[in-house]
């Protein structure tokens, strides 16, 4: 999969967006928020919730979304489909690590701090999916389930675009041999780094996504000059990957 460099979009909360998708899929708002002053979006923590909810509300506004959907994430393979928009605001859905929808105005979100936020886009059906993937989620089949969920709604895998957003890079994420084994990789004989985004690309490719339609972020949440929350680096905060079919750019 090709490496691209997300660009910082003006405004608050700070967020990085896919520069090509912004041009190719203008009917979408896609990106990952960054770390920074007043940018922590961790919902299930100990921050004063009114501050955090204000940031989420702001993210909803800047993406022109009507409703935000978020879940408590459990490093599993469950993907939820959102078929109708609810009231304006934030909806906490059941425990899940993935979301799909074709409804304009529903902002799909996943919280990350080293794990991979994966955006899946079908410009033909104007359907989208957003996944949260660490090694456990990859083992649980979250990538395959995400692609399947879109296919169940009429997508063809070779129509899909997949992007692995800012996450911990293949040099920073050292894990034990048991993780390599669980991911189906060869036994390194001891702790060695794993490149999660590369595994994402392999899984998506096996599910039928075309290599030329897959990209991965150049930004590492741990070692890059860009500022992201990194669990491995000791951060408690969370950034948010987001994806929405813009309600203000309906198909003609
Ligand atoms: Zn790194």
């Amino acid at each position: 999969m090709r490496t691209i460099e997300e660009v910082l979009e003006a405004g608050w909360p700070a967020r990085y967006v896919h520069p090509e998708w912004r041009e190719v899929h203008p009917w979408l708002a896609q990106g990952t928020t960054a770390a920074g002053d007043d940018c922590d979006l961790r919902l299930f923590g100990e921050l004063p919730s009114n501050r955090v909810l204000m940031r989420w509300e702001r993210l909803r506004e800047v993406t022109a979304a009507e409703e935000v959907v978020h879940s408590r994430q459990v490093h599993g393979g469950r993907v939820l489909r959102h078929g109708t928009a609810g009231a304006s605001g934030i909806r906490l859905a059941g425990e899940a690590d993935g979301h799909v929808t074709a409804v304009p105005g529903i902002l799909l979100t996943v919280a990350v701090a080293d794990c991979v936020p994966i955006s899946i886009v079908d410009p033909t059906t104007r359907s989208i999916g957003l996944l949260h993937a660490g090694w456990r989620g990859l083992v649980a089949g979250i990538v395959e389930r995400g692609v399947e969920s879109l296919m169940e709604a009429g997508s063809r895998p070779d129509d899909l675009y997949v992007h692995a957003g800012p996450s911990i890079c293949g040099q920073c994420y050292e894990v034990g041999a048991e993780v390599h084994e669980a991911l189906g990789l060869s036994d390194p004989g001891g702790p060695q780094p794993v490149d999660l985004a590369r595994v994402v690309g392999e899984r998506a490719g096996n599910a039928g996504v075309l290599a030329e339609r897959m990209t991965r972020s150049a930004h590492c949440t741990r070692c890059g000059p860009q500022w992201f929350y990194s669990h491995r680096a000791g951060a408690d905060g969370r950034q948010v990957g987001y994806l929405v079919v813009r309600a203000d750019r309906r198909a003609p």
Side-chain angles (χ1 to χ4, degrees):
M1 65 203 311
R2 204 157 44 81
T3 300
I4 62 98
E5 199 164 320
E6 288 99 333
V7 294
L8 193 58
E9 186 135 291
W12 170 72
R15 55 203 190 278
Y16 285 92
V17 304
H18 195 305
E20 297 171 8
W21 284 18
R22 196 165 55 176
E23 309 300 325
V24 179
H25 310 302
W27 52 282
L28 289 176
Q30 178 276 344
T32 305
T33 65
D37 293 338
D38 225 15
C39 285
D40 182 4
L41 288 158
R42 182 174 51 141
L43 266 187
F44 301 106
E46 292 166 0
L47 287 170
S49 61
N50 58 334
R51 293 292 303 163
V52 178
L53 290 174
M54 202 174 72
R55 295 169 198 158
W56 280 87
E57 177 61 17
R58 180 70 189 144
L59 180 63
R60 185 180 75 77
E61 286 173 10
V62 297
T63 56
E66 285 154 15
E67 184 183 30
V68 179
V69 174
H70 191 62
S71 280
R72 185 184 283 274
Q73 296 160 189
V74 291
H75 294 278
R78 185 169 181 229
V79 176
L80 301 178
R81 173 179 309 286
H82 304 285
T84 53
S88 174
I90 299 178
R91 172 162 35 131
L92 286 181
E95 290 185 346
D97 290 271
H99 304 273
V100 298
T101 193
V103 180
I106 297 184
L107 183 73
L108 309 181
T109 63
V110 293
V112 284
D114 287 343
C115 286
V116 193
I118 306 167
S119 300
I120 311 178
V121 171
D122 183 346
T124 305
T125 61
R126 293 210 165 182
S127 308
I128 57 173
L130 185 67
L131 316 172
H132 158 258
W135 74 266
R136 286 188 180 83
L138 290 171
V139 171
I142 186 72
V143 173
E144 293 84 347
R145 280 300 306 141
V147 172
E148 283 165 16
S149 295
L150 286 169
M151 289 169 65
E152 286 160 12
S155 289
R156 292 158 39 106
D158 53 359
D159 282 334
L160 301 179
Y161 288 76
V162 170
H163 178 60
S167 62
I168 195 162
C169 81
Q171 281 81 53
C172 285
Y173 190 53
E174 184 176 285
V175 290
E178 72 282 0
V179 173
H180 290 258
E181 193 183 344
L183 287 168
L185 306 171
S186 57
D187 181 355
Q192 286 291 331
V194 154
D195 186 349
L196 290 176
R198 181 178 169 181
V199 177
V200 169
E202 288 168 359
R203 299 286 171 103
N206 290 340
V209 179
L210 303 175
E212 63 266 29
R213 294 197 169 200
M214 289 194 267
T215 50
R216 61 177 293 171
S217 174
H219 303 320
C220 172
T221 46
R222 190 181 187 196
C223 74
Q226 300 80 16
W227 190 15
F228 292 102
Y229 298 107
S230 169
H231 181 69
R232 278 268 170 131
D236 289 327
R238 295 287 183 274
Q239 53 261 351
V240 162
Y242 62 86
L243 187 60
V244 60
V245 179
R246 297 180 65 118
D248 57 347
R249 302 270 181 93
R250 288 178 200 280

